[in-house]
Amino acid sequence: MGISMIYFVIGYLVCINAAGLASMGMDKRKAIRHQWRIPEATLFLIALLGGSLGSIVGMQLFRHKTRHWYFVWGMPAIFFIELALVLGIVLR
């Protein structure tokens, strides 16, 4: 893998994890204000696209979705699956 590809992947991961963090914060704010919410499927999609770590940090930072078992168990499960895939690619 070339150096420019590594920079691209790092940049992508930074952006998608920032989106995961921000989406948790925005959804929490909307919940407090009783406004239209971000669908849970969208929150999981962001995590599946590589933003699981940012989503987990957002859950803890904003104390959001921490009572829903499918978020409490699902987000870390997605993270560990993504980590295993990355390690499998890197160590191949």
Side-chain angles (χ1 to χ4, degrees):
M1 186 179 327
I3 195 80
S4 61
M5 181 59 110
I6 292 171
Y7 285 137
F8 174 78
V9 170
I10 291 171
Y12 172 79
L13 289 174
V14 167
C15 290
I16 196 70
N17 280 285
L21 177 71
S23 65
M24 286 294 177
M26 288 187 293
D27 194 50
K28 175 67 173 197
R29 187 174 194 189
K30 288 174 181 261
I32 292 169
R33 295 179 176 190
H34 303 286
Q35 295 177 335
W36 173 85
R37 306 277 302 279
I38 298 172
E40 290 181 345
T42 302
L43 297 174
F44 272 108
L45 179 61
I46 293 168
L48 286 169
L49 293 174
S52 58
L53 185 58
S55 296
I56 293 167
V57 171
M59 284 175 57
Q60 299 304 314
L61 182 65
F62 301 113
R63 296 180 188 196
H64 189 52
K65 301 289 187 187
T66 56
R67 293 185 181 183
H68 300 279
W69 68 267
Y70 43 92
F71 275 90
V72 172
W73 291 96
M75 289 294 175
I78 292 169
F79 173 74
F80 286 118
I81 290 168
E82 291 173 344
L83 182 62
L85 289 171
V86 168
L87 289 175
I89 292 169
V90 170
L91 299 177
R92 182 169 63 131

